[in-house]
Amino acid sequence: MTTVPTNALAAGEAVLTGDVVGTDFGLPLVRPSRSGREGRVRVVRARCRTSGGVVVWFTDGTKTPPLHGRTGWVPADPGAAATRPGG
């Protein structure tokens, strides 16, 4: 299974994330999916470097907590957003 590091994520890239794990100032927080079989497809809007790591923002209004720049993401199949629940 191929993964993409957080530092290499580009806007518009579809990746697999887990379910919402909490909130930060009212915004839902998600983390990378651990396998290609589970997770929701989300599209990267932007990523920004913070003092605690790198935060990835998604087009659906979710974001990640600060992550290490080498944290791996599983890329989603091109047609997966239409077939996966919540995608």
Side-chain angles (χ1 to χ4, degrees):
M1 171 174 23
T2 305
T3 61
V4 178
T6 302
N7 285 336
L9 286 177
E13 191 165 356
V15 295
L16 296 179
T17 69
D19 289 329
V20 174
V21 295
T23 60
D24 181 27
F25 295 103
L27 297 172
L29 295 174
V30 296
R31 294 191 182 273
S33 177
R34 297 194 184 269
S35 74
R37 283 182 258 166
E38 61 186 45
R40 296 180 183 260
V41 176
R42 298 188 200 276
V43 178
V44 175
R45 180 176 64 173
R47 67 180 161 80
C48 61
R49 191 173 306 275
T50 66
S51 60
V54 179
V55 174
V56 180
W57 295 80
F58 297 100
T59 57
D60 64 353
T62 58
K63 70 175 197 165
T64 65
L67 300 171
H68 195 284
R70 292 185 304 248
T71 301
W73 294 83
V74 177
D77 294 332
T83 59
R84 296 221 182 201

